[in-house]
């Protein structure tokens, strides 16, 4: 049963492993990314509480002192655009989980973490307070950029 709608644009799915999730994402233009969900809630405190309760085998290699893989954390909001200052504020709210390893913006073995907020557009929610917040590790990116690449406005055509 699908729980996706205009109010809930994020769909929760279960995959047996990362390779299956990557296979699905590689074949879909409508999937932005697939995230291994570590925590969710209506406030950042709830998200941090869920993260601390998430299975240890999921978090272990990113929270141990011996972890040396580089990582980065991005923040997105569905329904509005976050400014750079707002993105930094969101990262600071998640900082108590204490990820180990160097922070890098680009690296071939980069582990990406995402903070996703579900915020109604300003005309419906002037406060901009999210009603759902999600946090997790990026498993796969969809071929979402193909939509922009294949638009008729940008394609070459033969004509007079």
């Amino acid at each position: 049963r699908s729980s996706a709608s205009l109010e809930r644009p994020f769909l929760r799915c279960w995959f047996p492993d990362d390779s299956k999730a990557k296979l699905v994402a590689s074949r879909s233009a409508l999937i932005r990314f697939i995230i291994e969900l570590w925590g969710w809630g209506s406030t950042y405190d709830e998200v941090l509480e869920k993260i601390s309760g998430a299975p240890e085998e999921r978090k272990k290699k990113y929270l141990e002192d011996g972890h040396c893989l580089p990582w980065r954390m991005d923040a997105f909001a569905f329904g509005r655009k976050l400014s750079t200052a707002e993105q930094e504020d969101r990262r600071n709210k998640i900082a108590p989980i204490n990820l180990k390893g160097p922070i890098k913006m680009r690296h071939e073995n980069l582990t990406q973490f995402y903070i996703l907020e579900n915020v109604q557009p300003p005309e419906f929610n002037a406060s901009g307070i999210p009603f759902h917040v999600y946090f997790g590790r990026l498993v796969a990116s969809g071929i979402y950029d193909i939509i922009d690449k294949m638009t008729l406005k940008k394609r070459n055509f033969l004509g007079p």
Side-chain angles (χ1 to χ4, degrees):
R1 191 176 125 221
S2 173
S3 62
S5 68
L6 290 176
E7 293 82 32
R8 293 177 179 256
F10 306 117
L11 180 65
R12 288 175 50 179
C13 301
W14 287 265
F15 294 98
D17 57 36
D18 288 357
S19 66
K20 301 292 186 214
K22 289 176 183 177
L23 179 65
V24 169
S26 71
R27 296 171 177 256
S28 177
L30 297 179
I31 292 176
R32 190 82 179 253
F33 31 70
I34 297 177
I35 293 177
E36 176 185 70
L37 198 58
W38 284 20
W40 65 94
S42 54
T43 66
Y44 277 89
D45 290 334
E46 285 181 28
V47 173
L48 290 170
E49 190 176 306
K50 292 264 175 110
I51 291 170
S52 65
E56 287 302 315
E57 65 272 0
R58 186 182 299 171
K59 306 179 301 183
K60 190 169 90 172
K61 67 180 178 181
Y62 304 104
L63 301 178
E64 289 180 343
D65 286 328
H67 177 69
C68 61
L69 289 176
W71 60 274
R72 75 185 258 181
M73 188 182 303
D74 292 317
F76 292 102
F78 182 84
R80 67 182 284 250
K81 185 159 174 65
L82 296 175
S83 69
T84 306
E86 288 173 319
Q87 290 177 34
E88 187 61 31
D89 178 56
R90 298 333 189 251
R91 286 186 202 99
N92 290 335
K93 288 180 180 181
I94 295 291
I97 64 169
N98 228 359
L99 293 166
K100 305 296 183 192
I103 300 169
K104 302 268 187 190
M105 295 312 282
R106 297 182 200 279
H107 192 273
E108 64 183 51
N109 293 327
L110 185 69
T111 301
Q112 290 182 267
F113 294 93
Y114 282 97
I115 303 165
L116 303 171
E117 291 184 351
N118 189 4
V119 183
Q120 288 182 329
E123 56 268 15
F124 301 114
N125 180 6
S127 67
I129 297 171
F131 55 96
H132 285 101
V133 179
Y134 304 91
F135 176 79
R137 176 185 65 87
L138 178 70
V139 173
S141 295
I143 52 174
Y144 191 77
D145 60 333
I146 200 168
I147 294 171
D148 196 38
K149 212 185 284 182
M150 299 305 285
T151 182
L152 290 176
K153 293 177 186 174
K154 293 184 179 181
R155 289 173 56 185
N156 293 329
F157 62 92
L158 296 174

